[in-house]
Amino acid sequence: MTKWLIIGEVMVLTEGEAPYQRIETEVLRTVGGNRTREQALVELRKEAKKYRPAALKGTACVVGQESDGSFLILPKKSGKGHVRCTVRLIEEA
């Protein structure tokens, strides 16, 4: 039985004496129960529309779909630093 994972990957640029990028990844939810990839993609879309990483809480965001099926969550206006969030579907091994 296939199990799908919906994950959030947040890239944050930390500024300071030595600026660096870090990526924080978390499993947002699992999709199982004999669901097909197409059914899991429907769940991915729902999750991407409602998910906001801590770095974007309280910020108006826009959600866009990439050509690979993943979703980008970006702030509508700058001011929250450099944050990029990707929500994607992967198959659990």
Side-chain angles (χ1 to χ4, degrees):
M1 178 169 27
T2 303
K3 190 175 195 180
W4 303 97
L5 303 175
I6 297 174
I7 61 169
E9 298 173 328
V10 182
M11 182 187 66
V12 179
L13 176 62
T14 303
E15 297 188 19
E17 289 183 27
Y20 67 94
Q21 291 181 356
R22 72 179 194 280
I23 297 176
E24 300 169 354
T25 303
E26 67 177 312
V27 175
L28 304 178
R29 73 182 266 227
T30 59
V31 179
N34 291 329
R35 300 275 180 98
T36 65
R37 177 171 167 69
E38 289 72 27
Q39 291 169 321
L41 287 170
V42 170
E43 297 303 313
L44 172 66
R45 176 180 291 276
K46 290 177 189 175
E47 194 68 31
K49 287 183 176 184
K50 69 179 184 179
Y51 175 67
R52 293 298 172 270
L56 293 174
K57 290 283 187 209
T59 302
C61 294
V62 62
V63 178
Q65 188 170 15
E66 295 261 44
S67 60
D68 67 357
S70 63
F71 289 86
L72 287 178
I73 301 172
L74 301 166
K76 282 188 177 180
K77 297 181 181 180
S78 61
K80 278 293 224 182
H82 302 284
V83 178
R84 176 184 166 135
C85 177
T86 304
V87 179
R88 69 180 74 242
L89 182 71
I90 62 173
E91 184 177 354
E92 185 175 33

